[in-house]
Amino acid sequence: MCRLFALSSRDPVSPMRAIEALNVMKEGHDGSGVGLFLSDLGGPFGAMKDAPILSGIFTDEGLNRLDAYMGERGFVTRHTLVLDPRAKAPLGTPIRGTYMARAYEVPAHLKAKPRAEQELAFMLMRVELRLMGEAADDIRVFSFWPDTVMVKEVGDPMEIGEYLGLGRPELDCRRILAQGRQNTNYAINLYACHPFFLQGVCTMTNGENTAFVPIREYLLSRGFPGYMGYQSDSEVFAHIMHYTLNRLQFGIEYYKHVITPLSDAEMEDHADRAMLARIKQTCRKLIIDGPNCVIGCLPDKTMFMVQDRKKLRPGVVGGKPGIFAFSSEICGLDAAIPDRDQCADFQPMHLDTAIVRPECQEVTICNQLQSLPRPH
């Protein structure tokens, strides 16, 4: 089992607030790893929202190869944050090299292109750098995207947070996804550690997806270079959301109808029955199976939580105007936002999508039995 915690805040907060919530839920995860997604950044990065930020781990040779690669493509460094370990490495945490987040100035020829072309270029560069680094194990890239930093490592989340100094103000941000567990179903691989990220879409999951193989094969058949990796069966949740938003051009309200469609009986009296039947048929290979709680963040900074059809993993959302949290357990919510109205906490059931918009004013619940907004 693992535990999940996410924060959506009007004002920047420290990532350690999320890690401390994971620590409160420690009986529910094995302390084998931590993954962080940080977005809507404050500090120096917050002043350069348009600059793509490369985040990962690099050996000295890897840094040299990175500099040569970026220089050949005309990318110039704007700001670098190195996470220098501030203590001895926790037991079981490898000594890897330089943990770094670096923002780049986009070259003029790329900056002149439409945003979609720029975003495709960022994604392709991340994939290429990842593949470059896999053979020599000298470059690990978790994200290359504006206003986004990701950190992943093996070890207890609280110990890793202190080891890397994740409480430094340069990492304060408004959107945080934090997961407490390294992948332990297969070989240890940082690319298998949640959260998973693709072009502004980020998700993390507590559970397992027994439909992983057919979903992976379907996504691979789409011919999109970002649909790759798959060291974890949960990575497809992020890619299905990306597919829903970018290929199908549907909003968050449609995600559940793709991964957990209504039964024929439930659709019978639905206002959008004909459209839902088409979605169920055409996206049938994206239907998930197994116990899952999924928490995610969209490119527009909207955050959400959904459950599988059987509601077999815990999940709760709550907070107050200005700050809301998504948590595997109520004790994590208590630790992060103790002064909220606990009577307003909501535990999504199998038909629900719990949504917090970037304004952080309230939790909106979208139920699959409700009529849907028209996507086009």
Side-chain angles (χ1 to χ4, degrees), residues 3 17-29 158 327 329-336:
R3 286 297 179 264
R17 190 163 178 175
I19 290 177
E20 288 162 0
L22 286 180
N23 196 51
V24 171
M25 298 186 283
K26 192 169 183 177
E27 290 187 4
H29 65 81
M158 183 62 75
S327 180
E329 297 181 20
I330 291 176
C331 63
L333 202 53
D334 290 341

Side-chain angles (χ1 to χ4, degrees), residues 46 108 116 210 260 292 319:
T210 55
T260 58
N292 286 286

Side-chain angles (χ1 to χ4, degrees), residues 130 134 139-142 152 189-193 196 231:
R130 170 173 171 169
E134 285 183 341
I139 295 174
R140 292 181 178 87
V141 176
F142 305 129
K152 299 186 180 187
N189 184 323
L190 289 184
Y191 287 120
C193 181
F196 302 105
Q231 270 75 22

Side-chain angles (χ1 to χ4, degrees), residues 46-67:
M48 48 187 81
K49 295 285 189 181
D50 60 329
I53 303 170
L54 185 72
S55 51
I57 309 173
F58 309 87
T59 67
D60 290 344
E61 178 59 29
L63 280 173
N64 290 334
R65 294 211 294 151
L66 169 67
D67 289 343

